[in-house]
Structures are given as structure tokens and as C-alpha cells.
Amino acid sequence: MTPPSGLRIDRATEDDVPVILTLIRALADYERLAQAVVATDEGVRETLFGSNPSAEVAIARIGTEAVGFAVWFFSYSTFLARPGLHLEDLFVFPKRRGHGIGRALLVYLAKVAVARQCGRMEWSVLD
């Protein structure tokens, strides 16, 4: 499956905080967990772009439209003595699914894992 023309995946910056929060809320709506979202602009800014970031984000865009995102952090494997990349969330807006955007996000993350010499990449999916 070929990704849509004009698809790009960028590492999120602090300027993307409102977009990230919109994507978090869309994911929560999709999972019927909207009431569980207590994240704020300030909280996202501090935990993703503050002095000690807890995770990283990549945003998939077509033109200027954010169509999906991936959130990940690094774990550690004692047996491998190497970091691991843990994919926390991968979300593509339902109207944009089936066009290779999720796959493109996974390829992006695999490249991050290789570049950072991760021993593995892990994620779990809901039923």
C-alpha cells in the first residue's frame, strides 16, 4: 500500500502541543475513554518538551492537516544491555485509515529504533 501523496512524518516540536492534545483527545474518543483525558497544554508541554522529556511524538501530516500520530518512549533491556523503543500510542483518524499512514508511522519508528541502536521495538494493541 502506497502512502498518500504529500504524506510526511515529522518529529513533534513544542509548537505542536495543541495538535498533540487534539490527537490525544481523538484517540480517547475513538476508544470511548474521553472522560479519562486530563492532559492539558501545560502538562503535554512539560512532559514532552520540558527539561526531562518522558516520551517523544511523531505527527503524520498531509499538507498542513495532522492525520495521525505515534507516541513512544525508551525502555531498557538488561539481557541485551541496549535500549528498546516502546510504542505507547499509534492513532490515525478513522477517515484516513486504509491508506498506509499507520504503516508509514511504524516505518518511521523502526528507523528511529535502528538509529538509536535499540535492541527491540515493542507495542501492544487493544482488541
Side-chain angles (χ1 to χ4, degrees), residues 19-87:
V19 173
I20 294 167
L21 205 46
T22 296
L23 288 159
I24 290 169
R25 289 181 178 132
L27 170 61
D29 283 343
Y30 179 77
E31 292 182 353
R32 297 186 182 117
L33 294 170
Q35 73 285 354
V37 177
V38 296
T40 63
D41 280 359
E42 298 78 23
V44 169
R45 185 172 286 105
E46 177 59 30
T47 57
L48 295 178
F49 305 105
S51 59
N52 189 23
S54 300
E56 297 181 42
V57 178
I59 300 175
R61 290 185 170 94
I62 298 175
T64 59
E65 177 191 4
V67 295
F69 78 141
V71 179
W72 73 93
F73 57 88
F74 293 95
S75 58
Y76 185 75
S77 170
T78 53
F79 286 12
L80 298 175
R82 293 172 72 183
L85 187 149
H86 179 84
L87 174 58

Side-chain angles (χ1 to χ4, degrees), residues 8 14 38 63 67 80 87 98 106 109 120:
R8 73 179 198 284
E14 192 169 352
V38 296
V67 295
L80 298 175
L87 174 58
L106 286 171
L109 290 177
R120 63 178 167 225

Side-chain angles (χ1 to χ4, degrees), residues 54-127:
S54 300
E56 297 181 42
V57 178
I59 300 175
R61 290 185 170 94
I62 298 175
T64 59
E65 177 191 4
V67 295
F69 78 141
V71 179
W72 73 93
F73 57 88
F74 293 95
S75 58
Y76 185 75
S77 170
T78 53
F79 286 12
L80 298 175
R82 293 172 72 183
L85 187 149
H86 179 84
L87 174 58
E88 178 66 17
D89 290 314
L90 185 134
F91 176 76
V92 175
F93 281 107
K95 70 179 184 176
R96 293 295 194 164
R97 293 183 184 161
H99 301 285
I101 296 167
R103 180 182 174 89
L105 282 162
L106 286 171
V107 167
Y108 176 91
L109 290 177
K111 289 177 181 178
V112 169
V114 168
R116 299 206 192 163
Q117 300 180 346
C118 292
R120 63 178 167 225
M121 189 169 142
E122 304 171 309
W123 69 93
S124 300
V125 247
L126 296 174
D127 292 342

